[in-house]
Amino acid sequence: MLPSITKAKTKAEYNKINAEFTEYLAVAAITASIRLEKFVFVSSLAALGPLVDLSKEIKEDTPAHPVTNYGTSKLLAEKYLSEIPGLPLITIRPTAVYGPREKDIFILFKSISRGLEPHIGSFKQQLSFIYVKDLADVIVNSLLLRLMESNTIFRTAMFTIVMRLLNWLKRH
């Protein structure tokens, strides 16, 4: 598993760990005296940034416009990896990951279950989540796929409109 951080004090720290260290590992893997069949990079939907038009769907070729240093560092890592000749790259862009020991999304879920409805701005919002074990299944299954080309990108999870999520959490 590659080193990756979701919180850092500076953009430079994000880029060093999430992009540069990833590139170093990929270069080492491709130049090693082994047959490298696949290199799976776990990026993030944050590399794309939010959708401008909520009637659209995020696809593998959706133009990127990250709004955070984290997302920018993941996009930079994707760029570095795509430029390595011969790297059999699979990029997985998971949505927000929740599970044991994850605190931020747990706080969101707990707030919603107590009747608080988080909204930023006055526009419709969409959130998407994936459970950590489901993401692990996606990663393992990506290793089992026969791919015709390198630089394949997969996104995980469909979007859930916030109000549907809020209403479901209130009922359960």
Side-chain angles (χ1 to χ4, degrees):
M1 187 71 164
L2 287 174
S4 182
I5 56 172
T6 57
K7 294 180 181 168
K9 292 182 180 180
T10 66
K11 183 176 183 175
E13 187 178 358
Y14 275 114
N15 289 345
K16 179 131 191 101
I17 294 171
N18 291 345
E20 292 175 30
F21 287 178
T22 300
E23 180 186 30
Y24 299 158
L25 180 65
V27 168
I30 202 75
T31 57
S33 297
I34 58 168
R35 189 174 135 238
L36 184 63
E37 291 184 32
K38 292 183 182 125
F39 186 94
V40 178
F41 174 59
V42 180
S43 184
S44 172
L45 277 182
L48 296 180
L51 281 175
V52 175
D53 180 354
L54 294 182
S55 68
K56 304 259 189 222
E57 182 179 325
I58 289 180
K59 297 187 177 180
E60 289 70 22
D61 61 351
T62 297
H65 50 85
V67 295
T68 64
N69 289 336
Y70 170 73
T72 301
S73 71
K74 287 296 198 170
L75 185 61
L76 184 60
E78 289 183 21
K79 177 184 177 297
Y80 288 168
L81 294 175
S82 71
E83 294 172 348
I84 299 172
L87 184 68
L89 178 63
I90 296 173
T91 300
I92 298 173
R93 290 182 177 150
T95 183
V97 181
Y98 70 96
R101 294 183 299 281
E102 195 292 319
K103 294 180 179 97
D104 296 331
I105 296 173
F106 175 74
I107 291 169
L108 172 70
F109 285 169
K110 195 170 184 178
S111 298
I112 293 169
S113 72
R114 291 182 175 163
L116 296 174
E117 296 183 11
H119 290 277
I120 301 170
S122 59
F123 52 89
K124 210 176 200 183
Q125 298 175 47
Q126 294 181 338
L127 297 176
S128 181
F129 306 96
I130 187 168
Y131 186 62
V132 68
K133 288 183 180 180
D134 294 331
L135 177 56
D137 286 344
V138 169
I139 294 167
V140 169
N141 285 323
S142 74
L143 293 170
L144 303 175
L145 289 174
R146 278 214 172 106
L147 300 176
M148 302 310 262
E149 61 183 71
S150 187
N151 294 333
T152 303
I153 298 175
F154 296 100
R155 61 187 163 86
T156 62
M158 296 301 289
F159 280 90
T160 303
I161 297 174
V162 169
M163 292 311 296
R164 263 192 275 163
L165 173 65
L166 290 171
N167 290 331
W168 183 86
L169 286 169
K170 283 180 192 176
R171 289 191 310 267
H172 295 86

